[in-house]
Amino acid sequence: MLRPLCTTGLTVATLFFAFSLTPSLVPRPFAAQGLISGLSFTAGYALGVAGLWLWVWLGIPQWRGRAAFWFRVGTAALCALVAVVFLWRAAGWQNDLRALMGMPEDVGVRPLGVGVITVLVFVGLLFVARLFRLVFGVIARQLRRVIPPRIAHGVGLVLAFMLFWSVGNGVLFSKALRGADNSYHQWHITVQPEQSPPQEPLRTGSEDSLISWEALGQRGRDYIAGTPSAAAIEAATGEAAQTPIRVYVGLGAAETPEQRAELALQEMLRVGAFERSTLLLITPTGTGWVDPVAQLSAEHLLGGDVASVAAQYSYLPSFLALLVEGEYGVQSARALFQAVYGHWRTLPEDERPALYLYGLSLGALNGGRAFDAHDIIGDPFAGALWSGPPFRSEVWRDITAERQPDSPIWRPRFRDGSVVRFMNQEGGLERGEAPWGPYRIAYLQYASDPVTFFSPDLFWRSPDWLQDPRGPDVSPALRWFPVVTGLQVLADISAGEAPRGFGHEYAMGDYLAAWAALMGLEHWSPARLARLAEALEATR
């Protein structure tokens, strides 16, 4: 357990530590930087040790004596110099990235804090690795008494791995997950003192509603309470408006996704949702959250003549929901789609509302998987807006892979643009070789969004989004390094600090432009959209 550290491993680890200080997609706090640096240092050490072992195993001669000593000294000095230079430059890189995103300068990466966290992470992981080796050695020695050595080593390795996996996954992870589950569940069911049920009979959660205020859950109560009044919409747009309809079904309102979907449909019929000109079918994120920026932008553009419906399928954050309830979100989205679309298609074509789908992040993933072409080919709905689609979205990946060769991955052009179009901060939905047809799919994505542009192969291959031309919000100083860049972008997903308009934070102005283009609201000129965005931002 107290064996000396490998010089080769420390050399590679120091280089990985230095690389980890370079910028990634979004700015990050120093604690996240320390964690990334610690993981990068550990990964570099492991690769260095593995490389040395392979060198020895292959029988390649090694330097001995004074030559080996001076080589180690020179290498250590060079690595230390590289680490110091990168650590000195780290604050500048982070502030350059913050300036690109319109954020104030930070105090820096706090070298001492980053160093301490790096050492703690490395020591902790090194302890686990050496404990694994110790357990493996004990098991292998016992097995060598009854079976040949090579077989004993193989079996011992498998048994040690199974033991550590069962402890880590079955005990530590499951307890942590249960703790998180209990914590989020308690928060979800607790009604805050300042939240009171709506008095209007047509509001979900009122006394006349089919869904109680308590059954909405915390996210549902926030969603309903955030409904803008007709007066507020009129003040922002300068035009006559009505109060939009919002329907939400919380996770505790019914037992199964199908029952919640049917409850949502009955509530929609009760409040007259199908009598509005536009209907939004929303798939929320893992916690049941619906981005109010997206919601408010559509409601103001349509003068409140819109009804929206969403059904919760989890109260865990999206990354946990995806990990432990991956298929449950799809089941919920599919059940709600079938219930709402099934009723919608029975209505006369000239009387029913225009039906659009919307989802952000995990909502975009599950919403896109709620139907396929066979479901809608005979009677398609109007379209869908997917913002920040996760890298796991199969449809998004296929469309992006089949983009026109001269279009960048961060804003692809797909075929002739008659069905699918992409946009970012600089637009894009207006581009198309053919007119945008009656059935429209729009993707709103930023080049700096780690949820969209992370992929497992980042650990061993440079991504297409680093090729020229880069996205307008990707730092020119960003470089790809094996293993390290994958860790950086993975950390960006949960620990990034991007403002609205960058990363995974989608801006009001971009949502307004996306909805206006998707819905064909040509009377909303760019100048009017900009004024509305400014007015809405002032009220938030």
Side-chain angles (χ1 to χ4, degrees):
M1 292 290 287
L2 298 178
R3 297 172 64 243
L5 296 175
C6 171
T7 304
T8 303
L10 288 175
T11 300
V12 180
T14 305
L15 290 177
F16 274 40
F17 168 77
F19 297 155
S20 73
L21 299 169
T22 60
S24 52
L25 286 176
V26 295
R28 50 185 179 257
F30 91 95
Q33 178 61 68
L35 179 61
I36 296 169
S37 296
L39 293 174
S40 298
F41 190 94
T42 306
Y45 184 80
L47 288 174
V49 171
L52 180 62
W53 176 86
L54 181 61
W55 185 283
V56 173
W57 185 79
L58 291 173
I60 302 175
Q62 302 180 60
W63 285 359
R64 303 286 183 182
R66 280 178 97 68
F69 171 77
W70 287 111
F71 176 76
R72 287 196 296 269
V73 170
T75 302
L78 180 61
C79 289
L81 178 62
V82 170
V84 169
V85 170
F86 275 64
L87 196 58
W88 173 72
R89 284 284 294 121
W93 282 323
Q94 287 298 307
N95 282 327
D96 288 344
L97 184 54
R98 294 173 72 88
L100 178 66
M101 298 184 175
M103 300 172 68
E105 285 193 1
D106 196 7
V107 294
V109 295
R110 304 176 192 176
L112 181 60
V114 170
V116 169
I117 296 174
T118 298
V119 171
L120 290 176
V121 171
F122 173 67
V123 170
L125 293 176
L126 182 65
F127 173 79
V128 173
R130 290 192 170 181
L131 181 61
F132 177 87
R133 181 171 180 168
L134 177 64
V135 171
F136 158 67
V138 171
I139 296 174
R141 281 195 300 272
Q142 298 300 318
L143 291 175
R144 281 200 300 268
R145 298 178 179 179
V146 294
I147 59 177
R150 291 186 178 179
I151 297 177
H153 280 81
V155 174
L157 186 64
V158 171
L159 291 177
F161 179 80
M162 292 175 60
L163 174 63
F164 272 68
W165 176 261
S166 62
V167 172
N169 186 57
V171 178
L172 299 179
F173 179 75
S174 62
K175 285 188 175 180
L177 190 60
R178 281 197 299 270
D181 182 80
N182 292 334
S183 175
Y184 283 111
H185 179 257
Q186 188 62 39
W187 178 85
H188 167 73
I189 63 176
T190 301
V191 179
Q192 302 300 323
E194 65 274 12
Q195 290 183 323
S196 56
Q199 301 302 310
E200 302 90 334
L202 295 183
R203 290 282 190 98
T204 300
S206 66
E207 289 187 1
D208 295 333
S209 174
L210 301 177
I211 306 161
S212 70
W213 185 241
E214 292 74 19
L216 287 176
Q218 188 62 50
R219 291 301 189 189
R221 290 187 288 271
D222 290 341
Y223 177 73
I224 297 301
T227 306
S229 65
I233 296 176
E234 290 173 0
T237 63
E239 298 179 352
Q242 54 186 311
T243 299
I245 293 173
R246 292 187 181 185
V247 172
Y248 192 98
V249 180
L251 193 59
E255 188 68 25
T256 67
E258 291 74 20
Q259 291 171 344
R260 289 193 291 274
E262 181 60 28
L263 186 58
L265 177 60
Q266 296 304 316
E267 179 73 358
M268 292 172 70
L269 294 172
R270 184 188 75 83
V271 299
F274 291 93
E275 298 169 14
R276 296 297 175 98
S277 67
T278 305
L279 181 60
L280 298 183
L281 198 164
I282 300 171
T283 303
T285 63
T287 62
W289 181 73
V290 177
D291 189 350
V293 175
Q295 185 76 25
L296 289 170
S297 59
E299 290 169 339
H300 280 74
L301 285 175
L302 296 166
D305 187 15
V306 55
S308 306
V309 58
Q312 187 180 26
Y313 52 88
S314 174
Y315 42 78
L316 295 174
S318 291
F319 72 95
L320 286 178
L322 187 61
L323 186 64
V324 301
E325 301 173 340
E327 291 303 313
Y328 202 58
V330 179
Q331 295 171 10
S332 177
R334 186 171 294 139
L336 184 61
F337 175 82
Q338 290 175 347
V340 175
Y341 175 78
H343 178 80
W344 174 83
R345 68 179 303 180
T346 65
L347 303 175
E349 289 189 31
D350 57 347
E351 296 180 10
R352 67 190 183 189
L355 175 60
Y356 292 91
L357 275 59
Y358 166 72
L360 164 68
S361 192
L362 190 56
L365 172 65
N366 291 326
R369 296 164 68 185
F371 66 95
D372 57 36
H374 300 94
D375 295 325
I376 65 169
I377 192 169
D379 194 4
F381 53 87
L385 173 60
W386 308 127
S387 56
F391 66 94
R392 282 193 56 183
S393 172
E394 300 90 347
V395 175
W396 174 85
R397 286 205 308 265
D398 292 343
I399 292 174
T400 301
E402 296 175 16
R403 68 187 184 277
Q404 293 187 19
D406 61 337
S407 63
I409 191 173
W410 43 270
R411 195 174 64 189
R413 292 197 309 277
F414 180 68
R415 297 180 181 172
D416 61 1
S418 59
V419 177
V420 179
R421 295 186 183 183
F422 289 78
M423 73 168 285
N424 64 353
Q425 304 97 321
E426 298 180 344
L429 297 186
E430 72 284 355
R431 296 179 177 88
E433 298 173 6
W436 213 357
Y439 174 66
R440 304 176 175 186
I441 303 295
Y443 284 97
L444 171 58
Q445 61 187 40
Y446 297 150
S448 57
D449 188 345
V451 174
T452 298
F453 290 107
F454 171 81
S455 61
D457 60 5
L458 268 177
F459 287 93
W460 62 84
R461 186 176 70 85
S462 179
D464 290 343
W465 46 264
L466 278 182
Q467 298 177 3
D468 291 330
R470 291 190 179 190
D473 46 337
V474 175
S475 171
L478 199 162
R479 298 290 183 270
W480 177 80
F481 301 101
V483 180
V484 175
T485 302
L487 291 173
Q488 287 178 318
V489 179
L490 192 59
D492 287 343
I493 294 176
S494 58
E497 291 186 322
R500 283 281 178 184
F502 300 93
H504 201 54
E505 301 291 332
Y506 289 87
M508 182 76 73
D510 296 325
Y511 269 125
L512 288 169
W515 284 123
L518 183 69
M519 297 177 177
L521 306 177
E522 298 177 356
H523 60 286
W524 280 97
S525 66
R528 286 190 68 198
L529 290 175
R531 288 195 297 271
L532 179 57
E534 185 177 351
L536 291 177
E537 289 291 354
T539 63
R540 290 182 54 77

